[in-house]
Amino acid sequence: MSKPADPAIPSIDRTIALVGLMGVGKSTVGRRLAKRLAREFVDADAEIEAAAAMTVSDIFARLGEPEFRAGEARVIRRLLDGAPKVLATGGGAMLNADTRALLKARAVTVWLRADLDVIATRVARRDTRPLLRGKDPKTTLAALAEARYPIYAQADLTVDVGAGSHAQAVEAVVAGLKAWSARKDER
Ligand code: S3P
């Protein structure tokens, strides 16, 4: 049975933003986490696609990555203006210094981290990620991890989601948020 909605992290009156590599489960875990916390869920990539009326792949192919990144920064800024929610960011969102500063100031950032082997297996199931197209997923993910992990590590908390179920990942995030919130209240 799924756990009842638990708005019992009342002192977290900010958006909870999930960050981390593509394929780690930000969207799936985020959707379930939002339900668990009785909050709205928003996926930044889906919002970018809606705003551009194009898929992420088409934006990369037709407009280029810099244009995608600019749109991503605009969309995240807009989403952070609204009511606190659960936000799944795209894997590159934290790389933009302005977005990073905005997330730091307005959200609780949660880095979802998993073994690259687990992620590589997951991303192999879909062909929607332009950064992986035509490349060996494991090698590409390893290069992305090397460049990005120091940046993701700036998140407010890190949750290892491993190869377990999404439900377990949600519980791990809830536990992490409760601990973070208690630490924050002590300060
Ligand atoms: C990207 C991750 C993707 C998407 C785009 C670029 C990245 O989002 O924003 O393909 O730079 O890591 P997911 O992390 O949701 O797959």
Side-chain angles (χ1 to χ4, degrees):
M1 222 176 64
S2 67
K3 294 217 175 176
D6 179 9
I9 314 184
S11 52
I12 300 188
D13 53 358
R14 296 166 164 223
T15 283
I16 297 163
L18 304 182
V19 307
L21 276 187
M22 54 180 92
V24 77
K26 298 181 298 278
S27 303
T28 316
V29 172
R31 193 168 286 111
R32 283 167 170 260
L33 178 69
K35 207 176 239 179
R36 175 89 159 76
L37 301 180
R39 287 184 179 213
E40 184 195 358
F41 169 73
V42 186
D43 184 294
D45 280 347
E47 292 289 318
I48 297 162
E49 291 187 330
M54 259 188 258
T55 63
V56 168
S57 294
D58 282 344
I59 302 173
F60 267 74
R62 293 198 215 162
L63 307 177
E65 182 170 347
E67 199 56 44
F68 172 81
R69 297 295 174 202
E72 179 174 50
R74 279 195 301 275
V75 161
I76 291 178
R77 177 175 290 274
R78 168 171 62 77
L79 294 172
L80 286 173
D81 273 342
K85 48 182 78 68
V86 174
L87 169 66
T89 66
M94 280 274 275
L95 274 62
N96 177 299
D98 291 340
T99 303
R100 195 160 67 239
L102 207 59
L103 284 168
K104 200 80 200 148
R106 311 271 298 276
V108 185
T109 44
V110 182
W111 175 19
L112 296 188
R113 187 171 62 182
D115 256 21
L116 291 186
D117 284 323
V118 172
I119 300 182
T121 312
R122 289 206 189 127
V123 295
R125 291 188 207 133
R126 283 205 282 148
D127 182 30
T128 53
R129 294 186 168 97
L131 294 182
L132 295 180
R133 197 151 293 152
K135 303 194 179 120
D136 171 56
K138 185 73 196 290
T139 311
T140 309
L141 287 166
L144 288 174
E146 194 179 332
R148 293 178 175 183
Y149 276 15
I151 293 171
Y152 297 151
Q154 295 173 32
D156 292 305
L157 62 144
T158 299
V159 176
D160 281 303
V161 290
S165 68
H166 289 309
Q168 284 169 325
V170 169
E171 292 317 310
V173 175
V174 169
L177 284 168
K178 284 187 172 162
W180 180 84
S181 168
R183 282 199 303 275
K184 177 173 79 72
D185 291 345
E186 273 168 21
R187 286 196 289 267

